[in-house]
Amino acid sequence: MTNRFAAILFGLCINCTSLVYAENTQNFSQLLSQNVSVSGQMTTAKFDQLMHQGFKSVIVNRPDEEAGNQVSISQLRTIAERSHVSVIYQPVDSGKVSQSDVAEFAKYYNHLPKPILLVCKSGSRSTALFNQAKSQGLLNE
């Protein structure tokens, strides 16, 4: 009975792991609008997969020197260039989105090819930039 229980448990664990993996590979970004998605904590493998999802531009709002950052802007640019995707580096300190940050973001947004992927640690500051620029009427949609 113990071996049978262990086998069933093992089978369940394998199925759960497969589901989690499938979920994670498909949900690397969150759609904010028809033209914009946002993604949090980045790795080179995750970014490489995102570059195959049709994005034409990327705005990175996470400073390279921020604690816990796993990839540099130069690594992201190298990956993006292979997919012919434009990358803008607009570092913004977490929790300190200023009006000048919002205006600069809007300038990039309005001139970049769409769809755009926004990248920061959790997605919060990139989402804040997008939402503030949108609410102020700064984005040409």
mmCIF file of all heavy atoms in Angstrom, residues 41-43 60 62-73 75-76 89 119-121:
data_model
loop_
_atom_site.group_PDB
_atom_site.id
_atom_site.type_symbol
_atom_site.label_atom_id
_atom_site.label_comp_id
_atom_site.label_asym_id
_atom_site.label_seq_id
_atom_site.Cartn_x
_atom_site.Cartn_y
_atom_site.Cartn_z
ATOM 1 N N GLN A 41 10.559 40.513 -13.157
ATOM 2 C CA GLN A 41 11.905 39.939 -13.019
ATOM 3 C C GLN A 41 12.331 39.182 -14.269
ATOM 4 O O GLN A 41 11.680 38.251 -14.702
ATOM 5 C CB GLN A 41 11.940 39.008 -11.800
ATOM 6 C CG GLN A 41 13.283 38.415 -11.499
ATOM 7 C CD GLN A 41 14.268 39.415 -10.924
ATOM 8 O OE1 GLN A 41 14.084 40.615 -10.954
ATOM 9 N NE2 GLN A 41 15.348 38.922 -10.391
ATOM 10 N N MET A 42 13.432 39.606 -14.855
ATOM 11 C CA MET A 42 13.860 39.082 -16.140
ATOM 12 C C MET A 42 15.096 38.195 -15.990
ATOM 13 O O MET A 42 15.959 38.446 -15.166
ATOM 14 C CB MET A 42 14.183 40.265 -17.067
ATOM 15 C CG MET A 42 14.246 39.920 -18.515
ATOM 16 S SD MET A 42 12.753 39.136 -19.178
ATOM 17 C CE MET A 42 11.504 40.388 -18.949
ATOM 18 N N THR A 43 15.108 37.166 -16.812
ATOM 19 C CA THR A 43 16.304 36.333 -17.010
ATOM 20 C C THR A 43 16.567 36.331 -18.505
ATOM 21 O O THR A 43 15.694 36.693 -19.301
ATOM 22 C CB THR A 43 16.074 34.882 -16.532
ATOM 23 O OG1 THR A 43 15.056 34.283 -17.357
ATOM 24 C CG2 THR A 43 15.683 34.823 -15.060
ATOM 25 N N VAL A 60 13.015 49.227 -21.004
ATOM 26 C CA VAL A 60 13.478 48.667 -19.736
ATOM 27 C C VAL A 60 13.524 49.792 -18.717
ATOM 28 O O VAL A 60 14.269 50.754 -18.877
ATOM 29 C CB VAL A 60 14.871 48.006 -19.889
ATOM 30 C CG1 VAL A 60 15.363 47.472 -18.551
ATOM 31 C CG2 VAL A 60 14.827 46.899 -20.933
ATOM 32 N N ARG A 62 14.050 49.164 -15.341
ATOM 33 C CA ARG A 62 14.800 48.721 -14.164
ATOM 34 C C ARG A 62 16.272 49.082 -14.308
ATOM 35 O O ARG A 62 16.930 48.686 -15.263
ATOM 36 C CB ARG A 62 14.670 47.210 -13.998
ATOM 37 C CG ARG A 62 15.290 46.733 -12.704
ATOM 38 C CD ARG A 62 14.973 45.292 -12.425
ATOM 39 N NE ARG A 62 15.398 44.962 -11.075
ATOM 40 C CZ ARG A 62 15.320 43.775 -10.555
ATOM 41 N NH1 ARG A 62 14.829 42.770 -11.260
ATOM 42 N NH2 ARG A 62 15.719 43.553 -9.322
ATOM 43 N N PRO A 63 16.804 49.846 -13.342
ATOM 44 C CA PRO A 63 18.227 50.184 -13.394
ATOM 45 C C PRO A 63 19.102 48.929 -13.288
ATOM 46 O O PRO A 63 18.782 48.003 -12.539
ATOM 47 C CB PRO A 63 18.436 51.084 -12.170
ATOM 48 C CG PRO A 63 17.068 51.573 -11.804
ATOM 49 C CD PRO A 63 16.127 50.486 -12.201
ATOM 50 N N ASP A 64 20.180 48.904 -14.043
ATOM 51 C CA ASP A 64 21.108 47.768 -13.993
ATOM 52 C C ASP A 64 21.605 47.492 -12.578
ATOM 53 O O ASP A 64 21.750 46.348 -12.176
ATOM 54 C CB ASP A 64 22.321 48.022 -14.891
ATOM 55 C CG ASP A 64 22.130 47.499 -16.304
ATOM 56 O OD1 ASP A 64 21.110 46.836 -16.576
ATOM 57 O OD2 ASP A 64 23.012 47.759 -17.146
ATOM 58 N N GLU A 65 21.864 48.563 -11.828
ATOM 59 C CA GLU A 65 22.476 48.404 -10.502
ATOM 60 C C GLU A 65 21.478 48.091 -9.391
ATOM 61 O O GLU A 65 21.867 47.932 -8.231
ATOM 62 C CB GLU A 65 23.292 49.649 -10.146
ATOM 63 C CG GLU A 65 22.491 50.919 -9.967
ATOM 64 C CD GLU A 65 22.122 51.632 -11.273
ATOM 65 O OE1 GLU A 65 22.591 51.249 -12.359
ATOM 66 O OE2 GLU A 65 21.335 52.580 -11.188
ATOM 67 N N GLU A 66 20.203 47.973 -9.722
ATOM 68 C CA GLU A 66 19.195 47.689 -8.700
ATOM 69 C C GLU A 66 19.417 46.309 -8.080
ATOM 70 O O GLU A 66 19.706 45.342 -8.789
ATOM 71 C CB GLU A 66 17.795 47.758 -9.321
ATOM 72 C CG GLU A 66 16.681 47.666 -8.305
ATOM 73 C CD GLU A 66 15.335 47.901 -8.961
ATOM 74 O OE1 GLU A 66 14.778 46.937 -9.507
ATOM 75 O OE2 GLU A 66 14.872 49.057 -8.935
ATOM 76 N N ALA A 67 19.267 46.222 -6.775
ATOM 77 C CA ALA A 67 19.468 44.954 -6.055
ATOM 78 C C ALA A 67 18.589 43.851 -6.634
ATOM 79 O O ALA A 67 17.414 44.067 -6.907
ATOM 80 C CB ALA A 67 19.156 45.145 -4.571
ATOM 81 N N GLY A 68 19.180 42.692 -6.829
ATOM 82 C CA GLY A 68 18.444 41.527 -7.309
ATOM 83 C C GLY A 68 18.303 41.435 -8.820
ATOM 84 O O GLY A 68 17.746 40.476 -9.333
ATOM 85 N N ASN A 69 18.786 42.453 -9.544
ATOM 86 C CA ASN A 69 18.684 42.428 -11.002
ATOM 87 C C ASN A 69 19.566 41.314 -11.550
ATOM 88 O O ASN A 69 20.748 41.230 -11.225
ATOM 89 C CB ASN A 69 19.098 43.768 -11.590
ATOM 90 C CG ASN A 69 18.677 43.928 -13.034
ATOM 91 O OD1 ASN A 69 18.027 43.057 -13.602
ATOM 92 N ND2 ASN A 69 19.063 45.042 -13.626
ATOM 93 N N GLN A 70 18.990 40.452 -12.376
ATOM 94 C CA GLN A 70 19.706 39.275 -12.868
ATOM 95 C C GLN A 70 20.322 39.456 -14.248
ATOM 96 O O GLN A 70 21.141 38.638 -14.672
ATOM 97 C CB GLN A 70 18.762 38.072 -12.886
ATOM 98 C CG GLN A 70 18.259 37.714 -11.508
ATOM 99 C CD GLN A 70 17.291 36.549 -11.542
ATOM 100 O OE1 GLN A 70 17.160 35.853 -12.533
ATOM 101 N NE2 GLN A 70 16.608 36.338 -10.445
ATOM 102 N N VAL A 71 19.893 40.475 -14.989
ATOM 103 C CA VAL A 71 20.441 40.703 -16.331
ATOM 104 C C VAL A 71 20.688 42.186 -16.552
ATOM 105 O O VAL A 71 19.981 43.034 -16.023
ATOM 106 C CB VAL A 71 19.497 40.175 -17.437
ATOM 107 C CG1 VAL A 71 19.386 38.672 -17.395
ATOM 108 C CG2 VAL A 71 18.136 40.803 -17.364
ATOM 109 N N SER A 72 21.687 42.482 -17.348
ATOM 110 C CA SER A 72 22.018 43.877 -17.645
ATOM 111 C C SER A 72 21.341 44.299 -18.937
ATOM 112 O O SER A 72 20.922 43.470 -19.753
ATOM 113 C CB SER A 72 23.532 44.033 -17.794
ATOM 114 O OG SER A 72 23.969 43.362 -18.968
ATOM 115 N N ILE A 73 21.264 45.587 -19.131
ATOM 116 C CA ILE A 73 20.681 46.114 -20.360
ATOM 117 C C ILE A 73 21.481 45.641 -21.568
ATOM 118 O O ILE A 73 20.894 45.361 -22.620
ATOM 119 C CB ILE A 73 20.555 47.661 -20.312
ATOM 120 C CG1 ILE A 73 19.771 48.189 -21.531
ATOM 121 C CG2 ILE A 73 21.902 48.317 -20.214
ATOM 122 C CD1 ILE A 73 18.348 47.749 -21.598
ATOM 123 N N GLN A 75 22.955 42.762 -21.966
ATOM 124 C CA GLN A 75 22.527 41.389 -22.253
ATOM 125 C C GLN A 75 21.170 41.383 -22.958
ATOM 126 O O GLN A 75 20.967 40.632 -23.915
ATOM 127 C CB GLN A 75 22.433 40.567 -20.963
ATOM 128 C CG GLN A 75 23.773 40.262 -20.325
ATOM 129 C CD GLN A 75 23.586 39.622 -18.964
ATOM 130 O OE1 GLN A 75 23.056 40.238 -18.046
ATOM 131 N NE2 GLN A 75 24.020 38.366 -18.846
ATOM 132 N N LEU A 76 20.248 42.212 -22.485
ATOM 133 C CA LEU A 76 18.924 42.287 -23.098
ATOM 134 C C LEU A 76 19.011 42.811 -24.529
ATOM 135 O O LEU A 76 18.353 42.291 -25.431
ATOM 136 C CB LEU A 76 17.984 43.160 -22.262
ATOM 137 C CG LEU A 76 17.688 42.658 -20.844
ATOM 138 C CD1 LEU A 76 16.766 43.630 -20.120
ATOM 139 C CD2 LEU A 76 17.112 41.260 -20.854
ATOM 140 N N TYR A 89 16.484 52.037 -22.881
ATOM 141 C CA TYR A 89 16.818 51.911 -21.459
ATOM 142 C C TYR A 89 16.422 53.217 -20.778
ATOM 143 O O TYR A 89 17.046 54.256 -20.988
ATOM 144 C CB TYR A 89 18.305 51.631 -21.308
ATOM 145 C CG TYR A 89 18.792 51.455 -19.894
ATOM 146 C CD1 TYR A 89 18.214 50.539 -19.026
ATOM 147 C CD2 TYR A 89 19.873 52.195 -19.421
ATOM 148 C CE1 TYR A 89 18.681 50.365 -17.737
ATOM 149 C CE2 TYR A 89 20.359 52.020 -18.139
ATOM 150 C CZ TYR A 89 19.756 51.111 -17.299
ATOM 151 O OH TYR A 89 20.233 50.930 -16.018
ATOM 152 N N VAL A 119 9.595 46.450 -19.140
ATOM 153 C CA VAL A 119 10.295 45.560 -18.215
ATOM 154 C C VAL A 119 10.767 46.325 -16.988
ATOM 155 O O VAL A 119 11.376 47.393 -17.110
ATOM 156 C CB VAL A 119 11.528 44.911 -18.902
ATOM 157 C CG1 VAL A 119 12.312 44.055 -17.926
ATOM 158 C CG2 VAL A 119 11.109 44.101 -20.120
ATOM 159 N N CYS A 120 10.472 45.785 -15.805
ATOM 160 C CA CYS A 120 11.043 46.268 -14.543
ATOM 161 C C CYS A 120 11.048 45.093 -13.560
ATOM 162 O O CYS A 120 10.848 43.956 -13.981
ATOM 163 C CB CYS A 120 10.308 47.489 -14.004
ATOM 164 S SG CYS A 120 8.606 47.214 -13.533
ATOM 165 N N LYS A 121 11.257 45.341 -12.295
ATOM 166 C CA LYS A 121 11.380 44.239 -11.329
ATOM 167 C C LYS A 121 10.097 43.430 -11.188
ATOM 168 O O LYS A 121 10.102 42.215 -11.323
ATOM 169 C CB LYS A 121 11.811 44.784 -9.960
ATOM 170 C CG LYS A 121 11.994 43.700 -8.923
ATOM 171 C CD LYS A 121 12.474 44.277 -7.601
ATOM 172 C CE LYS A 121 12.662 43.179 -6.581
ATOM 173 N NZ LYS A 121 13.177 43.714 -5.317
#
